[in-house]
Amino acid sequence: MADIIKLLPDHVANQIAAGEVVQRPASVVKELLENAIDAGASTIKLIVKEGGKTLIQVVDNGIGMSTTDARLSFERHATSKIQKAEDLFKLGTKGFRGEALASIAAIAHVEMQTKPEQDEIGTHIKIEGSKIIFQETCATPKGTSLSVKHLFFNIPARRNFLKSNQVELRHITDEFHRVALAHPKISFQYYSNGSELFNLPSSNLRQRIVNVFGSKTNQKLVPVNEETQVVKISGFIKKPEFAKKSRGEQYFFVNNRFIKSGYLNHAVVAAFEGLVKPGTHPGYFLYLDVDPGTIDINIHPTKTEVKFDDEHTLYAIIRSTIKHSLGQFSVVPALDFQQDQNLEVPYSYTNKGVEQPKVEVDSTFNPFAENKGGTMQMPRKKSTKGWENLYVGLESKVGKEVDFSSLSFESETITGSVFDTDEEELKLASTTFQLHGKYVVTTVRSGMLIIDQGRAHQRVLYERFLKHGTSQESVSQQLLFPLKLSFSKNELNDLLEIKEDLNALGFAFGDTDEESIEIKGVPVSMTESDVASVVEQLLYDFRENTVSESFSQTDRLSKSLCKALAIKTGERLDQESQLALVNDLFACKEATISPFNKRIYITITENDIANKF
């Protein structure tokens, strides 16, 4: 039998490895930024075009590479981070596998210019699909500049898999945040299509968080600090009242490396139990310093999954540390029913000294002093003489008839109806009732309908919003006092991206600055108290793409709005509201299923009822 097992060529092996390492442009950004940090850079510049599909460039002022190292860096398993297997258990760098540059060069056009500080000239290398186009000397500043162009140019299926430029840019921004938050001492600059998105100077951790998420974040942070033999915990958590529906601002860093851990996240959520509303998630920026020998990073190509030696101990420490911080900074409300309120000292009196109370006394006052007539001075009633003058000009003779024919009075009871009400309609209304605060039951000729009130209202609102959004003839109610809502830079960019579609649905926006936006009008179906939560829900659905099966942006926003504004389970409806909901439902084009493909009502016929007996 002939031998059939053969060794794959390097360029084929690199393409296979690239499928694990490089999933989208954000993966390239992560690898290049981490290489720049490992090179000891103090300033890093990130430049992307068209969501990273056309260009991703990272420029740093690190140690640079010699000519030999520059050429060898694009080979598989070529690295300066580790030398032997034991080094995997004492990692102090971001990368260690030596696969990133080889994988990127296999599926893109890569161009690198690098120079160590002691050399006079640097090296310029260009590679396309693992093939070296040229290598020559060049004049370049200290550090490394690496450009990745035309990602997945030789894998059309992977390139077609990529999302829109806005979505890919959002993923790149998320990766940029993770690296920037892990290294506040490094200065970062981030450009997209020629415009500056972030310019983060070297600072402390709190200032870095504020620079990334906006100045309003400063008042939301509560510091966390704890040091034990197992782990050292530092960072910040957000106050419970600022919990959001999205998990966007949740960051775990282990030895300055961003990780994802559902188990440790549960520890944080357990510490906030009872302090945040159901369905919302607290924000946190937690940094764990542990012994490198107690963790295993070499699990997943993205290096975001980490295994700990003793996860249960970490869970308990994190939970207790956050609870301690919440209590220490008076975030948790405390009530002492035993303390007398009279003993509480106001804040304005804390630094005030003790003073002798001042009492003013009138030494000439004598309550028993007598007047000249020899009697005590007593208060006298005012004379009522001349009271008749108050009624001069009014006829008040007794026995005279008063003519009321010229006077008109408002009727106490309304005897008529503004609208003519059909007797059959009233009869139908009387047969409509609510069941368990969730279902509306009504009768039809064939039997009985049981309608899910939430899904029915979703269908009604969805078709209403969709009609207004597509016809551009939405009805908006203007707010008497415009609302000013604060958002992070990312959230504000997402909101501005869908601003025109929201205008078509009935929103009216005013002035916008770097951290807030003014809302002057909202759709008719929305109350002023719901604006903040509805806008947050819209941003969450847009960012998480929870309704990805939508046909258009308007369709997706209509689904988000109807989900946020629909009647909730447990909400009581009067007879008129029940009847209006039933009539509106069967006036829809599709009354059987909700916008999310859920059944709205079921029919119970007379035969079904008879069979039960």
Side-chain angles (χ1 to χ4, degrees):
M1 182 177 177
D3 299 332
I4 60 174
I5 297 179
K6 297 180 180 179
L7 191 65
L8 287 174
D10 287 343
H11 68 280
V12 178
N14 288 340
Q15 283 196 11
I16 295 173
E20 297 179 353
V21 178
V22 182
Q23 300 172 352
R24 60 193 333 149
S27 307
V28 177
V29 171
K30 173 181 180 293
E31 299 293 344
L32 297 185
L33 289 178
E34 289 182 348
N35 282 346
I37 293 171
D38 288 340
S42 60
T43 301
I44 299 175
K45 184 184 295 184
L46 171 63
I47 303 169
V48 298
K49 289 184 179 179
E50 297 182 3
K53 299 175 184 178
T54 303
L55 171 68
I56 298 173
Q57 183 178 7
V58 173
V59 183
D60 66 72
N61 62 346
I63 59 175
M65 287 182 282
S66 64
T67 303
T68 304
D69 287 345
R71 173 65 187 85
L72 197 59
S73 64
F74 290 98
E75 297 294 333
R76 287 191 71 201
H77 308 303
T79 179
S80 62
K81 315 294 175 60
I82 62 174
Q83 302 296 329
K84 52 187 182 295
E86 289 75 12
D87 294 340
L88 289 172
F89 301 102
K90 50 182 179 180
L91 287 171
T93 56
K94 300 288 187 181
F96 53 85
R97 293 198 183 102
E99 289 184 335
L101 287 182
S103 300
I104 294 170
I107 55 173
H109 296 183
V110 180
E111 199 169 339
M112 182 172 71
Q113 296 180 358
T114 182
K115 182 181 83 71
E117 186 174 12
Q118 64 274 13
D119 292 354
E120 294 184 358
I121 56 175
T123 305
H124 185 191
I125 297 178
K126 187 174 183 180
I127 299 177
E128 296 180 1
S130 296
K131 296 180 181 179
I132 299 179
I133 305 301
F134 65 79
Q135 177 176 346
E136 59 188 17
T137 58
C138 69
T140 182
K142 171 205 170 187
T144 303
S145 172
L146 204 149
S147 304
V148 178
K149 303 176 182 178
H150 310 300
L151 193 64
F152 299 124
F153 79 99
N154 52 356
I155 311 178
R158 290 295 297 272
R159 187 169 181 86
N160 294 334
F161 173 76
L162 297 178
K163 305 295 183 182
S164 64
N165 293 346
Q166 292 83 0
V167 174
E168 295 300 337
L169 183 64
R170 201 179 305 132
H171 285 286
I172 292 175
T173 304
D174 288 340
E175 291 292 348
F176 175 79
H177 285 171
R178 293 167 181 175
V179 176
L181 290 172
H183 301 275
K185 298 299 182 183
I186 300 177
S187 173
F188 288 91
Q189 292 176 315
Y190 179 18
Y191 298 88
S192 174
N193 295 333
S195 61
E196 183 181 83
L197 298 184
F198 288 94
N199 190 346
L200 308 176
S202 175
S203 59
N204 57 27
L205 178 57
R206 189 179 195 120
Q207 191 62 43
R208 175 55 56 88
I209 295 173
V210 170
N211 289 337
V212 171
F213 295 102
S215 58
K216 299 289 179 65
T217 311
N218 189 34
Q219 60 186 4
K220 305 176 184 178
L221 299 178
V222 175
V224 176
N225 235 320
E226 186 66 45
E227 186 170 358
T228 66
Q229 294 180 348
V230 179
V231 61
K232 178 183 178 183
I233 303 176
S234 60
F236 299 90
I237 55 176
K238 279 194 165 186
K239 295 179 182 178
E241 58 265 30
F242 299 107
K244 293 186 175 182
K245 293 184 178 180
S246 63
R247 300 175 183 266
E249 297 178 9
Q250 294 184 341
Y251 294 89
F252 265 119
F253 298 93
V254 175
N255 296 349
N256 290 331
R257 182 191 301 276
F258 173 80
I259 67 162
K260 295 178 181 179
S261 174
Y263 187 69
L264 297 184
N265 175 72
H266 189 273
V268 179
V269 175
F272 277 91
E273 186 177 1
L275 298 176
V276 296
K277 297 179 181 178
T280 59
H281 307 281
Y284 53 82
F285 309 88
L286 296 179
Y287 296 75
L288 311 180
D289 288 336
V290 299
D291 182 7
T294 62
I295 59 174
D296 186 7
I297 303 170
N298 192 21
I299 296 174
H300 194 271
T302 58
K303 298 189 281 285
T304 56
E305 296 182 13
V306 176
K307 290 295 183 184
F308 298 90
D309 276 356
D310 192 357
E311 283 188 331
H312 297 288
T313 303
L314 273 179
Y315 183 100
I317 294 174
I318 291 174
R319 184 171 176 269
S320 60
T321 300
I322 293 177
K323 277 197 169 186
H324 177 69
S325 295
L326 290 171
Q328 184 179 5
F329 292 91
S330 301
V331 176
V332 181
L335 296 176
D336 187 357
F337 295 100
Q338 304 298 326
Q339 184 176 353
D340 188 359
Q341 292 184 352
N342 297 324
L343 300 178
E344 295 182 0
V345 180
Y347 290 111
S348 57
Y349 284 81
T350 52
N351 299 323
K352 211 170 185 181
V354 180
E355 296 179 359
Q356 186 74 21
K358 297 179 180 179
V359 180
E360 295 182 358
V361 179
D362 184 6
S363 57
T364 62
F365 176 72
N366 184 4
F368 301 102
E370 296 182 352
N371 58 6
K372 295 180 180 180
T375 58
M376 295 179 61
Q377 295 179 348
M378 299 293 291
R380 297 181 180 180
K381 292 184 178 181
K382 293 183 178 179
S383 174
T384 57
K385 188 177 181 180
W387 63 271
E388 301 90 348
N389 295 332
L390 296 173
Y391 298 93
V392 174
L394 297 177
E395 297 182 4
S396 57
K397 295 181 180 180
V398 180
K400 183 177 179 180
E401 285 190 13
V402 181
D403 185 13
F404 292 100
S405 60
S406 60
L407 301 178
S408 60
F409 297 92
E410 183 179 356
S411 176
E412 294 182 359
T413 60
I414 300 175
T415 58
S417 176
V418 180
F419 303 102
D420 293 333
T421 305
D422 192 0
E423 292 182 1
E424 293 184 1
E425 187 174 315
L426 289 174
K427 187 177 179 181
L428 178 62
S430 63
T431 58
T432 303
F433 65 93
Q434 195 176 20
L435 180 65
H436 298 312
K438 184 177 182 181
Y439 304 103
V440 174
V441 182
T442 185
T443 58
V444 290
R445 292 181 181 178
S446 60
M448 180 169 63
L449 288 182
I450 301 179
I451 303 170
D452 188 303
Q453 65 183 33
R455 295 176 184 176
H457 200 209
Q458 284 179 1
R459 168 54 66 178
V460 173
L461 293 177
Y462 169 70
E463 293 200 4
R464 188 178 301 166
F465 287 132
L466 196 60
K467 178 182 177 182
H468 293 161
T470 52
S471 63
Q472 303 289 326
E473 296 178 355
S474 60
V475 180
S476 176
Q477 57 177 349
Q478 299 299 307
L479 299 177
L480 184 61
F481 300 102
L483 294 176
K484 196 168 186 179
L485 302 179
S486 299
F487 299 100
S488 65
K489 293 181 180 179
N490 276 352
E491 293 173 335
L492 199 58
N493 290 335
D494 293 341
L495 192 59
L496 294 177
E497 188 177 332
I498 58 176
K499 183 179 177 182
E500 293 183 3
D501 297 302
L502 292 177
N503 287 333
L505 294 174
F507 284 91
F509 296 95
D511 299 332
T512 305
D513 55 27
E514 293 183 354
E515 297 179 6
S516 62
I517 189 169
E518 189 179 55
I519 298 180
K520 293 184 175 181
V522 295
V524 178
S525 307
M526 189 185 304
T527 60
E528 185 176 348
S529 59
D530 294 333
V531 175
S533 60
V534 169
V535 173
E536 183 181 343
Q537 180 69 47
L538 284 172
L539 287 175
Y540 172 72
D541 290 339
F542 175 74
R543 190 171 185 83
E544 301 296 328
N545 203 17
T546 56
V547 284
S548 56
E549 72 278 1
S550 301
F551 298 103
S552 64
Q553 187 78 276
T554 303
D555 184 48
R556 181 164 61 176
L557 292 176
S558 299
K559 289 181 178 179
S560 298
L561 274 176
C562 76
K563 182 171 64 175
L565 297 176
I567 301 170
K568 303 298 187 292
T569 300
E571 191 169 340
R572 294 291 175 182
L573 302 177
D574 55 25
Q575 286 280 355
E576 294 181 0
S577 300
Q578 296 170 23
L579 180 63
L581 181 62
V582 173
N583 291 337
D584 290 344
L585 173 63
F586 290 102
C588 294
K589 295 181 179 179
E590 176 57 69
T592 56
I593 59 173
S594 73
F596 305 97
N597 296 323
K598 303 286 186 180
R599 179 185 286 188
I600 294 179
Y601 65 87
I602 60 173
T603 305
I604 300 179
T605 63
E606 292 184 12
N607 292 333
D608 295 335
I609 299 175
N611 291 335
K612 296 293 183 182
F613 293 94

